[in-house]
Amino acid sequence: MTQGLDLHLIARPDGVPPVAHEDAEAVYTPNQLWSRSKLPRDLIREAIVGGRLPAYNAGRGDKPRYLVRWADFLMWRETLRVGVQ
């Protein structure tokens, strides 16, 4: 029996709050992530370009347009935490 359990929640590592499936699959531009999280824009963009934050490139040629899944962003954001054992 799954009473009180939301089967649509994505499994997360310890310390990362669960995310509803619909939110986890949502994609955001770096500017949208900045506005939603208040992390520095440059930090987000550098993480994408450096391969530390997975993203889709929906742009063409030399004009990338990055899109990041919310679940991937949350996982990456947890790597920035300090003082957690």
Side-chain angles (χ1 to χ4, degrees):
M1 183 145 227
T2 59
Q3 186 175 15
L5 178 65
D6 185 350
L7 298 178
H8 297 289
L9 293 178
I10 303 225
R12 313 296 294 169
D14 290 340
V16 179
V19 177
H21 179 69
E22 298 82 29
D23 291 338
E25 292 301 317
V27 292
Y28 297 91
T29 66
N31 282 339
Q32 291 169 324
L33 292 171
W34 164 74
S35 136
R36 188 168 177 180
S37 70
K38 304 300 184 214
L39 287 176
R41 229 180 284 199
D42 293 343
L43 180 68
I44 294 169
R45 189 164 294 280
E46 288 171 7
I48 292 170
V49 172
R52 295 179 306 281
L53 175 56
Y56 301 100
N57 184 355
R60 296 210 164 112
D62 61 345
K63 189 167 181 170
R65 182 173 188 270
Y66 297 116
L67 299 172
V68 178
R69 284 184 25 197
W70 184 243
D72 291 335
F73 176 78
L74 292 177
M75 292 288 292
W76 169 77
R77 186 181 71 180
E78 285 303 307
T79 69
L80 302 177
R81 286 186 113 186
V82 295
V84 179
Q85 294 181 9

